[in-house]
Amino acid sequence: MSGFKKFLFRGNLVDLAVAFVVGAAFAGLVKDFANSFITPLIALLGGKPDYTRLTVTINGTAFPYGVFLTSAIAFVITATIIYFLVVLPTAKLIERMDRGKEATERECPQCLSDIPVKARRCRYCTAEIVPATETPY
Protein backbone atom coordinates (compact mmCIF):
# COMPACT_ATOMS: atom_id res chain seq x y z
CA MET A 1 0.00 0.00 0.00
CA SER A 2 2.90 2.39 0.65
CA GLY A 3 4.06 2.02 -2.96
CA PHE A 4 0.61 3.03 -4.15
CA LYS A 5 0.68 6.11 -1.88
CA LYS A 6 4.09 7.07 -3.27
CA PHE A 7 2.75 6.68 -6.80
CA LEU A 8 -0.29 8.85 -6.10
CA PHE A 9 1.63 11.64 -4.44
CA ARG A 10 4.60 11.80 -6.78
CA GLY A 11 5.11 15.32 -8.00
CA ASN A 12 4.60 14.70 -11.69
CA LEU A 13 1.28 12.88 -11.18
CA VAL A 14 -0.09 15.71 -9.06
CA ASP A 15 1.22 18.23 -11.61
CA LEU A 16 -0.51 16.31 -14.38
CA ALA A 17 -3.80 16.28 -12.48
CA VAL A 18 -3.59 20.02 -11.83
CA ALA A 19 -2.70 20.68 -15.48
CA PHE A 20 -5.68 18.61 -16.60
CA VAL A 21 -8.12 20.52 -14.38
CA VAL A 22 -6.68 23.90 -15.38
CA GLY A 23 -6.68 22.84 -19.04
CA ALA A 24 -10.33 21.82 -18.88
CA ALA A 25 -11.27 25.14 -17.30
CA PHE A 26 -9.19 27.00 -19.87
CA ALA A 27 -10.84 25.07 -22.71
CA GLY A 28 -14.23 26.22 -21.45
CA LEU A 29 -12.94 29.79 -21.27
CA VAL A 30 -11.65 29.69 -24.84
CA LYS A 31 -14.86 28.07 -26.09
CA ASP A 32 -16.98 30.76 -24.43
CA PHE A 33 -14.70 33.49 -25.80
CA ALA A 34 -15.06 32.07 -29.31
CA ASN A 35 -18.84 31.75 -28.95
CA SER A 36 -19.22 35.24 -27.48
CA PHE A 37 -16.90 37.23 -29.71
CA ILE A 38 -15.38 35.35 -32.65
CA THR A 39 -18.46 33.49 -33.92
CA PRO A 40 -20.60 36.67 -34.02
CA LEU A 41 -17.83 38.44 -35.95
CA ILE A 42 -17.80 35.61 -38.50
CA ALA A 43 -21.60 35.76 -38.66
CA LEU A 44 -21.36 39.47 -39.48
CA LEU A 45 -19.10 38.73 -42.44
CA GLY A 46 -20.56 35.60 -43.94
CA GLY A 47 -23.67 34.44 -42.15
CA LYS A 48 -24.05 32.05 -39.24
CA PRO A 49 -21.25 29.43 -39.24
CA ASP A 50 -23.41 26.47 -38.17
CA TYR A 51 -23.23 23.68 -40.69
CA THR A 52 -24.50 20.83 -38.48
CA ARG A 53 -27.54 20.22 -40.70
CA LEU A 54 -25.47 19.56 -43.84
CA THR A 55 -25.67 15.91 -44.88
CA VAL A 56 -24.98 13.69 -47.87
CA THR A 57 -27.28 10.75 -48.48
CA ILE A 58 -25.92 7.67 -50.21
CA ASN A 59 -28.24 4.68 -50.71
CA GLY A 60 -30.58 5.93 -48.00
CA THR A 61 -27.82 6.44 -45.41
CA ALA A 62 -27.24 10.00 -44.23
CA PHE A 63 -23.68 11.17 -43.59
CA PRO A 64 -23.79 14.34 -41.44
CA TYR A 65 -20.53 15.90 -42.61
CA GLY A 66 -21.72 19.28 -41.37
CA VAL A 67 -21.08 18.23 -37.76
CA PHE A 68 -17.43 17.57 -38.63
CA LEU A 69 -17.21 20.82 -40.61
CA THR A 70 -18.57 22.83 -37.68
CA SER A 71 -16.13 21.13 -35.28
CA ALA A 72 -13.23 21.76 -37.67
CA ILE A 73 -14.10 25.47 -37.85
CA ALA A 74 -14.38 25.62 -34.05
CA PHE A 75 -10.98 23.92 -33.76
CA VAL A 76 -9.33 26.42 -36.11
CA ILE A 77 -10.90 29.33 -34.24
CA THR A 78 -9.82 27.90 -30.88
CA ALA A 79 -6.27 27.21 -32.09
CA THR A 80 -6.02 30.75 -33.44
CA ILE A 81 -7.21 32.25 -30.17
CA ILE A 82 -4.79 30.10 -28.17
CA TYR A 83 -1.88 31.05 -30.42
CA PHE A 84 -2.45 34.80 -30.43
CA LEU A 85 -3.65 35.24 -26.85
CA VAL A 86 -1.48 32.66 -25.02
CA VAL A 87 1.43 31.20 -27.02
CA LEU A 88 2.71 34.35 -28.72
CA PRO A 89 2.56 36.62 -25.62
CA THR A 90 4.14 33.90 -23.46
CA ALA A 91 6.98 33.39 -25.94
CA LYS A 92 7.65 37.14 -26.03
CA LEU A 93 7.58 37.33 -22.23
CA ILE A 94 10.05 34.45 -21.91
CA GLU A 95 12.29 36.08 -24.54
CA ARG A 96 12.29 39.35 -22.57
CA MET A 97 13.06 37.55 -19.32
CA ASP A 98 15.99 35.65 -20.88
CA ARG A 99 17.49 38.73 -22.56
CA GLY A 100 19.86 39.67 -19.76
CA LYS A 101 21.00 36.16 -18.85
CA GLU A 102 24.53 35.08 -19.63
CA ALA A 103 25.04 31.98 -21.69
CA THR A 104 26.27 29.01 -19.65
CA GLU A 105 26.77 26.67 -22.58
CA ARG A 106 28.00 26.85 -26.15
CA GLU A 107 28.25 24.51 -29.08
CA CYS A 108 31.32 22.31 -29.63
CA PRO A 109 32.73 23.19 -33.07
CA GLN A 110 33.57 19.52 -33.73
CA CYS A 111 30.51 17.51 -32.66
CA LEU A 112 27.99 20.36 -32.14
CA SER A 113 27.10 19.18 -28.60
CA ASP A 114 26.37 21.69 -25.84
CA ILE A 115 29.34 22.17 -23.53
CA PRO A 116 30.09 24.68 -20.74
CA VAL A 117 31.35 28.07 -21.92
CA LYS A 118 34.67 27.77 -20.08
CA ALA A 119 35.37 24.17 -21.16
CA ARG A 120 38.79 23.38 -22.68
CA ARG A 121 37.80 19.95 -23.92
CA CYS A 122 34.47 18.61 -25.20
CA ARG A 123 33.04 15.98 -22.89
CA TYR A 124 31.48 14.11 -25.84
CA CYS A 125 34.10 14.03 -28.60
CA THR A 126 37.12 15.02 -26.41
CA ALA A 127 38.25 17.65 -28.92
CA GLU A 128 40.44 20.41 -27.47
CA ILE A 129 38.60 23.71 -27.51
CA VAL A 130 39.66 27.25 -26.77
CA PRO A 131 37.48 28.55 -23.93
CA ALA A 132 35.07 31.28 -24.96
CA THR A 133 36.60 33.72 -22.47
CA GLU A 134 40.08 33.47 -24.01
CA THR A 135 41.27 34.71 -27.37
CA PRO A 136 42.47 32.03 -29.84
CA TYR A 137 45.94 33.65 -30.35
Side-chain angles (χ1 to χ4, degrees):
M1 194 67 168
S2 66
F4 185 65
K5 284 182 187 177
K6 286 180 186 177
F7 169 73
L8 284 180
F9 293 108
R10 270 191 355 212
N12 56 0
L13 185 65
V14 174
D15 291 344
L16 180 62
V18 170
F20 180 78
V21 170
V22 170
F26 189 71
L29 181 70
V30 169
K31 180 182 173 199
D32 291 342
F33 179 79
N35 289 338
S36 299
F37 297 104
I38 305 300
T39 304
L41 286 174
I42 293 172
L44 281 175
L45 299 175
K48 189 167 177 148
D50 182 17
Y51 305 110
T52 54
R53 293 189 183 105
L54 296 176
T55 59
V56 170
T57 305
I58 301 173
N59 290 335
T61 303
F63 293 92
Y65 72 92
V67 174
F68 173 75
L69 190 59
T70 301
S71 293
I73 291 170
F75 172 77
V76 169
I77 290 171
T78 303
T80 304
I81 291 169
I82 294 290
Y83 180 75
F84 285 108
L85 294 182
V86 176
V87 174
L88 199 59
T90 303
K92 288 187 181 196
L93 180 66
I94 290 171
E95 182 182 314
R96 279 191 190 152
M97 290 172 59
D98 288 344
R99 226 180 255 169
K101 289 186 180 177
E102 254 184 64
T104 58
E105 292 187 339
R106 64 183 174 132
E107 208 171 65
C108 170
Q110 300 296 319
C111 69
L112 305 178
S113 298
D114 288 335
I115 57 172
V117 172
K118 295 182 180 181
R120 296 180 179 274
R121 186 174 294 272
C122 177
R123 73 177 103 179
Y124 301 104
C125 69
T126 68
E128 286 190 40
I129 299 167
V130 176
T133 57
E134 294 179 13
T135 57
Y137 314 124

mmCIF file of all heavy atoms in Angstrom, residues 2 8 28-29 31 48-49 56 61 66 70 77 86 98 111-112 114 122-123 125 127 129 132-133 135:
data_model
loop_
_atom_site.group_PDB
_atom_site.id
_atom_site.type_symbol
_atom_site.label_atom_id
_atom_site.label_comp_id
_atom_site.label_asym_id
_atom_site.label_seq_id
_atom_site.Cartn_x
_atom_site.Cartn_y
_atom_site.Cartn_z
ATOM 1 N N SER A 2 2.052 1.198 0.612
ATOM 2 C CA SER A 2 2.900 2.395 0.654
ATOM 3 C C SER A 2 3.404 2.751 -0.744
ATOM 4 O O SER A 2 3.569 3.927 -1.057
ATOM 5 C CB SER A 2 4.073 2.192 1.607
ATOM 6 O OG SER A 2 4.942 1.192 1.102
ATOM 7 N N LEU A 8 0.742 7.825 -6.032
ATOM 8 C CA LEU A 8 -0.294 8.854 -6.099
ATOM 9 C C LEU A 8 0.228 10.243 -5.782
ATOM 10 O O LEU A 8 -0.232 11.226 -6.355
ATOM 11 C CB LEU A 8 -1.433 8.518 -5.138
ATOM 12 C CG LEU A 8 -2.382 7.422 -5.591
ATOM 13 C CD1 LEU A 8 -3.455 7.201 -4.531
ATOM 14 C CD2 LEU A 8 -3.021 7.750 -6.915
ATOM 15 N N GLY A 28 -12.901 25.613 -21.552
ATOM 16 C CA GLY A 28 -14.227 26.225 -21.449
ATOM 17 C C GLY A 28 -14.163 27.725 -21.651
ATOM 18 O O GLY A 28 -15.031 28.312 -22.317
ATOM 19 N N LEU A 29 -13.123 28.345 -21.112
ATOM 20 C CA LEU A 29 -12.944 29.790 -21.270
ATOM 21 C C LEU A 29 -12.750 30.157 -22.737
ATOM 22 O O LEU A 29 -13.369 31.092 -23.251
ATOM 23 C CB LEU A 29 -11.750 30.256 -20.440
ATOM 24 C CG LEU A 29 -11.426 31.740 -20.477
ATOM 25 C CD1 LEU A 29 -12.498 32.527 -19.752
ATOM 26 C CD2 LEU A 29 -10.074 31.978 -19.834
ATOM 27 N N LYS A 31 -13.622 28.374 -25.364
ATOM 28 C CA LYS A 31 -14.863 28.072 -26.093
ATOM 29 C C LYS A 31 -15.872 29.199 -25.922
ATOM 30 O O LYS A 31 -16.494 29.650 -26.891
ATOM 31 C CB LYS A 31 -15.445 26.756 -25.598
ATOM 32 C CG LYS A 31 -16.724 26.369 -26.280
ATOM 33 C CD LYS A 31 -17.282 25.081 -25.699
ATOM 34 C CE LYS A 31 -18.645 24.817 -26.293
ATOM 35 N NZ LYS A 31 -19.421 23.888 -25.496
ATOM 36 N N LYS A 48 -24.282 32.885 -40.420
ATOM 37 C CA LYS A 48 -24.048 32.047 -39.235
ATOM 38 C C LYS A 48 -23.243 30.811 -39.604
ATOM 39 O O LYS A 48 -23.645 30.040 -40.467
ATOM 40 C CB LYS A 48 -25.388 31.650 -38.622
ATOM 41 C CG LYS A 48 -25.220 30.976 -37.290
ATOM 42 C CD LYS A 48 -26.507 30.862 -36.552
ATOM 43 C CE LYS A 48 -26.203 30.100 -35.278
ATOM 44 N NZ LYS A 48 -26.988 30.450 -34.191
ATOM 45 N N PRO A 49 -22.105 30.568 -38.910
ATOM 46 C CA PRO A 49 -21.248 29.432 -39.243
ATOM 47 C C PRO A 49 -21.673 28.134 -38.552
ATOM 48 O O PRO A 49 -20.905 27.513 -37.850
ATOM 49 C CB PRO A 49 -19.874 29.883 -38.762
ATOM 50 C CG PRO A 49 -20.185 30.755 -37.600
ATOM 51 C CD PRO A 49 -21.464 31.444 -37.934
ATOM 52 N N VAL A 56 -25.001 14.329 -46.558
ATOM 53 C CA VAL A 56 -24.976 13.691 -47.866
ATOM 54 C C VAL A 56 -25.656 12.343 -47.689
ATOM 55 O O VAL A 56 -25.356 11.604 -46.751
ATOM 56 C CB VAL A 56 -23.524 13.497 -48.367
ATOM 57 C CG1 VAL A 56 -23.482 12.630 -49.600
ATOM 58 C CG2 VAL A 56 -22.880 14.828 -48.639
ATOM 59 N N THR A 61 -28.568 6.203 -46.648
ATOM 60 C CA THR A 61 -27.823 6.445 -45.410
ATOM 61 C C THR A 61 -27.319 7.884 -45.406
ATOM 62 O O THR A 61 -26.647 8.313 -46.344
ATOM 63 C CB THR A 61 -26.631 5.479 -45.295
ATOM 64 O OG1 THR A 61 -27.114 4.138 -45.364
ATOM 65 C CG2 THR A 61 -25.903 5.684 -43.983
ATOM 66 N N GLY A 66 -21.652 17.935 -41.916
ATOM 67 C CA GLY A 66 -21.720 19.282 -41.366
ATOM 68 C C GLY A 66 -21.279 19.352 -39.914
ATOM 69 O O GLY A 66 -20.725 20.350 -39.467
ATOM 70 N N THR A 70 -18.397 21.869 -38.767
ATOM 71 C CA THR A 70 -18.567 22.834 -37.677
ATOM 72 C C THR A 70 -17.493 22.648 -36.602
ATOM 73 O O THR A 70 -16.914 23.618 -36.111
ATOM 74 C CB THR A 70 -19.968 22.695 -37.050
ATOM 75 O OG1 THR A 70 -20.947 22.911 -38.070
ATOM 76 C CG2 THR A 70 -20.182 23.695 -35.931
ATOM 77 N N ILE A 77 -10.683 28.097 -35.006
ATOM 78 C CA ILE A 77 -10.898 29.329 -34.245
ATOM 79 C C ILE A 77 -10.226 29.228 -32.881
ATOM 80 O O ILE A 77 -9.523 30.147 -32.441
ATOM 81 C CB ILE A 77 -12.406 29.622 -34.094
ATOM 82 C CG1 ILE A 77 -13.005 30.023 -35.442
ATOM 83 C CG2 ILE A 77 -12.653 30.714 -33.061
ATOM 84 C CD1 ILE A 77 -14.520 30.112 -35.442
ATOM 85 N N VAL A 86 -2.245 33.372 -26.051
ATOM 86 C CA VAL A 86 -1.482 32.662 -25.024
ATOM 87 C C VAL A 86 -0.050 32.382 -25.485
ATOM 88 O O VAL A 86 0.912 32.803 -24.848
ATOM 89 C CB VAL A 86 -2.177 31.341 -24.617
ATOM 90 C CG1 VAL A 86 -1.329 30.578 -23.622
ATOM 91 C CG2 VAL A 86 -3.551 31.621 -24.039
ATOM 92 N N ASP A 98 14.706 36.287 -20.627
ATOM 93 C CA ASP A 98 15.992 35.650 -20.879
ATOM 94 C C ASP A 98 17.011 36.584 -21.523
ATOM 95 O O ASP A 98 18.156 36.201 -21.718
ATOM 96 C CB ASP A 98 15.805 34.418 -21.769
ATOM 97 C CG ASP A 98 15.151 33.274 -21.033
ATOM 98 O OD1 ASP A 98 15.119 33.308 -19.794
ATOM 99 O OD2 ASP A 98 14.659 32.341 -21.697
ATOM 100 N N CYS A 111 31.648 18.438 -32.675
ATOM 101 C CA CYS A 111 30.508 17.507 -32.663
ATOM 102 C C CYS A 111 29.164 18.208 -32.475
ATOM 103 O O CYS A 111 28.127 17.558 -32.478
ATOM 104 C CB CYS A 111 30.698 16.453 -31.584
ATOM 105 S SG CYS A 111 30.579 17.100 -29.893
ATOM 106 N N LEU A 112 29.188 19.526 -32.290
ATOM 107 C CA LEU A 112 27.991 20.357 -32.143
ATOM 108 C C LEU A 112 27.174 20.056 -30.886
ATOM 109 O O LEU A 112 26.007 20.402 -30.800
ATOM 110 C CB LEU A 112 27.101 20.248 -33.385
ATOM 111 C CG LEU A 112 27.784 20.574 -34.714
ATOM 112 C CD1 LEU A 112 26.816 20.389 -35.860
ATOM 113 C CD2 LEU A 112 28.344 21.973 -34.703
ATOM 114 N N ASP A 114 26.314 20.577 -26.782
ATOM 115 C CA ASP A 114 26.374 21.690 -25.844
ATOM 116 C C ASP A 114 27.383 21.385 -24.754
ATOM 117 O O ASP A 114 27.324 20.334 -24.117
ATOM 118 C CB ASP A 114 24.999 21.939 -25.226
ATOM 119 C CG ASP A 114 24.026 22.552 -26.222
ATOM 120 O OD1 ASP A 114 24.495 23.205 -27.166
ATOM 121 O OD2 ASP A 114 22.811 22.375 -26.036
ATOM 122 N N CYS A 122 35.854 19.058 -25.073
ATOM 123 C CA CYS A 122 34.471 18.606 -25.203
ATOM 124 C C CYS A 122 34.305 17.288 -24.449
ATOM 125 O O CYS A 122 35.102 16.365 -24.615
ATOM 126 C CB CYS A 122 34.095 18.419 -26.666
ATOM 127 S SG CYS A 122 32.427 17.771 -26.911
ATOM 128 N N ARG A 123 33.271 17.201 -23.663
ATOM 129 C CA ARG A 123 33.036 15.978 -22.892
ATOM 130 C C ARG A 123 32.490 14.844 -23.763
ATOM 131 O O ARG A 123 32.470 13.706 -23.335
ATOM 132 C CB ARG A 123 32.088 16.242 -21.743
ATOM 133 C CG ARG A 123 30.644 16.449 -22.163
ATOM 134 C CD ARG A 123 29.730 16.646 -21.009
ATOM 135 N NE ARG A 123 29.431 18.064 -20.924
ATOM 136 C CZ ARG A 123 28.643 18.607 -20.042
ATOM 137 N NH1 ARG A 123 28.068 17.882 -19.144
ATOM 138 N NH2 ARG A 123 28.417 19.887 -20.048
ATOM 139 N N CYS A 125 33.159 14.487 -27.569
ATOM 140 C CA CYS A 125 34.096 14.025 -28.600
ATOM 141 C C CYS A 125 35.555 14.193 -28.168
ATOM 142 O O CYS A 125 36.468 13.833 -28.902
ATOM 143 C CB CYS A 125 33.853 14.765 -29.915
ATOM 144 S SG CYS A 125 34.300 16.514 -29.884
ATOM 145 N N ALA A 127 37.454 16.700 -28.133
ATOM 146 C CA ALA A 127 38.253 17.646 -28.915
ATOM 147 C C ALA A 127 38.710 18.784 -28.008
ATOM 148 O O ALA A 127 37.979 19.227 -27.124
ATOM 149 C CB ALA A 127 37.440 18.200 -30.074
ATOM 150 N N ILE A 129 39.346 22.525 -27.119
ATOM 151 C CA ILE A 129 38.596 23.714 -27.514
ATOM 152 C C ILE A 129 39.145 24.903 -26.753
ATOM 153 O O ILE A 129 39.459 24.809 -25.557
ATOM 154 C CB ILE A 129 37.107 23.541 -27.198
ATOM 155 C CG1 ILE A 129 36.566 22.344 -27.978
ATOM 156 C CG2 ILE A 129 36.310 24.778 -27.508
ATOM 157 C CD1 ILE A 129 35.234 21.881 -27.535
ATOM 158 N N ALA A 132 35.697 30.102 -24.368
ATOM 159 C CA ALA A 132 35.067 31.279 -24.958
ATOM 160 C C ALA A 132 35.580 32.569 -24.340
ATOM 161 O O ALA A 132 35.528 33.615 -24.956
ATOM 162 C CB ALA A 132 33.552 31.193 -24.810
ATOM 163 N N THR A 133 36.117 32.505 -23.131
ATOM 164 C CA THR A 133 36.602 33.720 -22.470
ATOM 165 C C THR A 133 37.995 34.094 -22.876
ATOM 166 O O THR A 133 38.470 35.178 -22.585
ATOM 167 C CB THR A 133 36.551 33.543 -20.930
ATOM 168 O OG1 THR A 133 37.327 32.387 -20.591
ATOM 169 C CG2 THR A 133 35.134 33.389 -20.455
ATOM 170 N N THR A 135 41.114 34.468 -25.948
ATOM 171 C CA THR A 135 41.274 34.713 -27.373
ATOM 172 C C THR A 135 42.055 33.561 -27.987
ATOM 173 O O THR A 135 42.933 32.992 -27.334
ATOM 174 C CB THR A 135 42.018 36.057 -27.633
ATOM 175 O OG1 THR A 135 43.255 36.009 -26.965
ATOM 176 C CG2 THR A 135 41.179 37.235 -27.167
#
